[in-house]
Structures are given as structure tokens and as C-alpha cells.
Amino acid sequence: MDQYLYSMATKSELIAKMEQLLHEPDVERSSEAVDTLKETYEDIVAAEKAEAEAKAAEAQEEEETAAPEEVQEEEEERVGPPPAPEPILPVAAPQPIESAQLTSEEDKKFKQLLDAYNTKVNDIRRKRQQEENDNLAAKQALMTELRALIANEENIGNAFQRFTEMGEQWKNIGPIPQQSYRELQHDYSQLREEFFYHIRIYKELRDHDLRKNTALKQALVADMEAVQRVDSVREAEHLVKEYQDKWHQIGPVTKEDREAVSEAFWNATRVVYDRINDYYKARRAEHETNLAAKQALVEKVTELGKQAQDLSSNEWKTLTDQVLELQNAWKSIGFATKKDNERVWREFRNACNVFFDKKNAHYAALKDQYKAVRDKKEALIAEAQALKDSTAWRQTADKLKALQQQWKEAGSAGQRDEHKLWGRFRDACDAFFKARSASFEQQDAEQAEHAKAKEELIEEINAFALSGDRNADMESLKAFSTRWLNGGRVSPKQYDRLSARYRAALDKQYDQLKMNDGERRKMSFQNRVQDLASAPDGKERIEKEARFVKRKIEELETEVRQGEENMGKFSFKSAAGAAMKKEMEKNLDRTRQEIERFQAQHKQLRTEIRAMQQPVEADTTTGEASSS
């Protein structure tokens, strides 16, 4: 299973693969696979944690901002911000599983396997280290003995036998610490070559060993060249070290082949190392590229965090989608350089946190704003419900229209509550306006009948013929006025036309009666009062007439006072003065009589106003609640 397949595996598959690697004979060779398994498993744990946090935030946001489906259908008609997108939390940082608090049984199982693997590898490495140190001491002892053998042994037979035994011992001792290998092996090779070249041995035996070593080293050259074609870089690393150990253990070759074989082997070795170095160089370059890409994402999220202020809900949603896209982009980028990966992740996470902290603060403030609006609209609903059964049509309609304006100005109470609140408010308003419409429909029908009757009454007045009996005719005309007054109200649109015809018809009849000015004015005023009282807004018209008469009285009283003051300024001793005084007194008397007449009219008007206890509303305007 390569790295790509690991990224597509489940936790159970990764655990199974970990168990398989734990039971490999050479667990150290599985270190790269184990590292990849561990990184993949930590990514899965981090993704699950981020998904759980995102779902929790989504559930909380849906609970606060959820609304019935019908709200979504009327979303275009409502006023206020659209639905609050749910706050999205930043992706959780992949945390080393060794230090994470684990609750999942799969996570605990994987950590146990990882701990078992690390323990097994560490035990192997400690044992190997001890063995290598022991082997180093043993080889150093052999080299000391070999130096003594070269320097002091005179018996060539014994010397060669011991030299051979020491070679076998050297090969069987096993590996030594890597940092001591090169120098020790170099010294040992020099001692062996010194033994062969400076101690006289049998030429045949020496030549045989040299040819044998030449063949072995030539075979190693072919093996090293084959390593160049191995797919796994880790395997190539292992083999190149193994073949170098064998090379150093074989010993010298024939002199004529020594340079060529050595050059061929080390050239092949360099090719392998170049490939290994290129692999790690490319990997470092990839990590550097990933680091640059991640740093660019940090800068983008930071810039979005700076823009996250004084935004509408639509703008918040747009920026949130951009941050989420950047988070998804982060997941698609591989590891950065080891020293920078954790740092750049902290910077990205902090930048995301800054953005989402601002978003959460915005929606917390919006929530408080919605609560204030909700409380205000609850109060408006209570007022509307208290007015819905009122029959004071005009005053109540004006109050409800004012409440509707306040509703519009209050703003939105949020997607979750606005529709419900509006439904309750609209029901209260509609209940009143429906009742008012029904009342007006009935009133319109009645007024149509009254208008027809008044038309007939006007025709009857026009057709009336005086009998010659003045008193009887007066009573007949008064009866017409009484019938007009009691004939009910008519539409304001028809009232002025009918009233003008009525007054013209009645005045025509009164003109035929021989009445003095006082009687005529009194009768005319009486008819006017009755006419005003029968109007749709009779109370308002009579009140207006009373105010007019009151002002007229005040003007005439002022005129009398000024006339009296003027009389006090003149001397009336001459005959002309006496005549002027008499004329002025006569004018004042006429003014006082006018005052008395207007006072009587004002008294009559006030009496009529008191008699109109319950005015009939004549508001013909219609109203209905309209959504803000």
C-alpha cells in the first residue's frame, strides 16, 4: 500500500496495516511506511475532529436561525438581514497521536500498536548499539593483535594461519557504530594489505586470494549497479550500505585490477547516492513549495480577517465561503519543511480563529439586536390586539396605521421570529379592518337609501304649494326640515350636492312667505343648524360653526368697546356734536343687538353639540396591515 492508497484508507485498514508491519521480521525497514501510516491516521483524526466541531456549530446556528419553510418562500418580501449562516470553525490541527487525548477505541488501538512498534524498534536499536560497541572493541583488539602479528611473527606458517583465523573472526564479529566504521575499516584494510605486501607469504596463495577477491568485488560492482534500478529509495539506502560493508570485508584484489574495480564500484555507489540525494533534495524542494503555498493561504485568511467588520449578512456569508475554500485548499497541500510545518499551521489556525471570532461577535450582537426588536414588536402586537375589536373606526384605523409604521421602522427580529411575529400582528390588524369594511359596506347601503329618500324629499319640497295659511305653511316647511334632519346620513360625496339643492328648495318656499328679517334670519339659522347636524361629519361642522360665531361675537364686542372709547374722546355740546353722538349710539345699539343674536346662535350650537353624544364615524378610507 503506497502513500496515495494510505490517504484513501480507513482507520480499520490503517490499523490492520500497522499490525502487519509490527510483525515484519525486520521492523526497522518499515519505518517509512510506519511514518506514513502515522501521518495519515493523524490527518483522519484531525478531519473527524474538524467535522464534529463544524457539525456542532452548524447545529447551534440552525437552532438559533432556523425558520419554517414558508419563511424561505417569503424571504424576498421581508425586511432585515437574510438567514444567518452558520458559523464555521477552523480546521483542527493534526496533533501527534502520542500526546493526544483519545476516546475512540480505534484511536487507542492504533496508539497501542504505534507504541509497541516504537518499543520494538528502540529495543532492537539499543541491542544493536550494544552489539556494535562490543564488535568495535573486538575488532580493535583484533587490529592490535594483527599489528603485533605483522611486527613480531617470524613463523610464516603460524602467522598466515592466525591471519586467516583473525579474518574469519573479523567477518563474524558483525556491525559496529557507523561513526567508527569508515576509519576502523580503513585501518583494517591497510593492516591487511600491509600483511600481504610486507610479510612474505606464498605467492601462489596470495595470488589465489587476490583473484578470488577480485571476482567477489566485481560481483559487488554488478550488485551496486543493480541498486540503481531499485524503485524504493529507502531500500536503495539499505542495500548501498550493505554492499559497502561487503566490499570492505572482501580484502585486496589483484594489483592490476585494483584501480579499475575500485573505480567501478565507487562510481556505481556515487550514482546510487546521487539518486538518493536527488530524492531528498526534491522532497525538500516540495516541502519548500508547500510551505510557500501554506504561507500564501495564511496571508489570504489574514486579509479576510481584516475585511471582517461592518458587514451585511450576505457579505459575511461570502467571506465565510472564501475562508472555507482556503481551509479546503490547505488540506490538499502536503507537508512543509519539518521545522516550519507546525509554525505555519499555528499561523493559519490563528488567522482563521480571528475571522471566526469576529463573525461570532457580529452574530452575537445581531442576536441582541433581534431581541430588542422582538420585544418592541411584542409590545406593538399587544397594542394591536387591544384595538382589534374597537368600533371607533377612524381613530382606531389611525392608531393601527401608526403601529404599522412603527413596525416597519423597528427593523427585523431575525429569520426565526420575524414571520411568526408578523403573522400575529397582521391578524390583529386584519381583524379590525375586516370588521370596519363590513361596517362600511352596511353603512354605504344605508346611505344610498338615505340619498334616494332625500332626493325624493327635495322633489317634494319643490312641488309643495303654499296654502295661504301662513302658520300652516310654516309648520309644513318645518316638517320638511324635520324629515330632512331625521332622514339619515348620506355619503360625503353626495352630501354637499343634496344639501345645496335642499337649501335652495326650502329657501324658495320661505321666500314666498312674508316674514320679517328677524324671523327670516332665525328660521334660516335653524335650518342651517339642522343641515349641518345631518352632515356625515355633523359634529365637526357644528363645532366649526360655533367657533366662527364665537370669533364673530368677540370681534363685535371689540367693536363696541372701541366705539365707547371713541365717544369718550369727543365733545358733543354743539348741535352737530349731538347729532353725531346720536348716530354713534344708534350704531352701537345695532352692534349690541348683533352680539345678542350671535350669542343666541352660539348657545343653540352648544346645545346641539351636547345633544350629539355619540358621533357616527364617516371615515371612508380603508386600511390593511402591510408587511414591512
Side-chain angles (χ1 to χ4, degrees), residues 481 485 520-532 604 608:
S481 297
L485 180 63
R520 185 70 183 88
R521 282 196 298 268
K522 183 176 181 180
M523 182 60 65
S524 177
F525 181 74
Q526 182 65 36
N527 289 337
R528 176 171 174 75
V529 171
Q530 292 176 352
D531 188 26
L532 291 174
Q604 185 178 350
E608 187 68 28

Side-chain angles (χ1 to χ4, degrees), residues 149 158-171 192 195 205 209:
L149 182 65
N158 292 338
F160 187 79
Q161 181 178 358
R162 180 57 187 153
F163 177 81
T164 304
E165 292 172 354
M166 292 171 66
E168 290 298 320
Q169 289 179 353
W170 181 275
K171 289 189 292 185
R192 286 178 58 84
F195 177 85
L205 181 59
D209 287 342

Side-chain angles (χ1 to χ4, degrees), residues 52 180 192 267 374 521 567 586 617 622:
S180 303
R192 286 178 58 84
N267 285 340
R374 184 169 64 249
R521 282 196 298 268
M567 287 181 65
K586 183 179 178 180
E617 290 291 341
T622 60

Side-chain angles (χ1 to χ4, degrees), residues 349-446:
R349 180 185 59 196
N350 291 339
C352 291
N353 288 342
V354 167
F355 173 83
F356 285 109
D357 286 346
K358 288 184 177 181
K359 179 180 178 182
N360 292 337
H362 165 77
Y363 280 101
L366 194 61
K367 185 177 180 181
D368 293 339
Q369 175 184 332
Y370 285 160
K371 182 180 183 304
V373 174
R374 184 169 64 249
D375 293 343
K376 184 173 183 180
K377 290 194 171 182
E378 286 284 3
L380 293 176
I381 290 171
E383 291 187 55
Q385 290 175 340
L387 294 171
K388 70 176 183 177
D389 297 324
S390 173
T391 56
W393 305 122
R394 173 177 293 177
Q395 294 90 334
T396 304
D398 290 342
K399 291 178 181 178
L400 285 176
K401 290 175 183 177
L403 293 181
Q404 290 173 1
Q405 184 61 32
Q406 293 179 45
W407 185 279
K408 293 179 181 179
E409 294 171 353
S412 174
Q415 182 181 3
R416 184 183 64 180
D417 298 315
E418 181 66 26
H419 182 72
K420 296 178 182 177
L421 292 170
W422 167 243
R424 292 166 57 200
F425 180 72
R426 180 185 58 197
D427 290 345
C429 294
D430 288 350
F432 167 80
F433 286 114
K434 287 178 181 178
R436 189 183 75 156
S437 295
S439 175
F440 283 173
E441 288 175 2
Q442 180 181 357
Q443 178 179 301
D444 290 343
E446 293 174 352

Side-chain angles (χ1 to χ4, degrees), residues 11-23 27 34 37-38 41 97-98 102 105-122:
K11 284 185 175 183
S12 299
E13 293 171 341
L14 295 176
I15 289 173
K17 183 61 180 177
M18 189 67 194
E19 289 177 333
Q20 176 184 345
L21 293 177
L22 184 61
H23 293 92
V27 294
V34 170
L37 278 174
K38 176 177 176 292
Y41 199 96
I97 197 168
E98 295 90 343
L102 307 176
E105 292 301 320
E106 287 183 318
D107 297 350
K108 293 178 180 179
K109 176 66 175 177
F110 186 87
K111 184 177 182 301
Q112 290 174 354
L113 293 173
L114 183 62
D115 291 343
Y117 172 82
N118 290 333
T119 299
K120 193 170 183 180
V121 169
N122 290 336

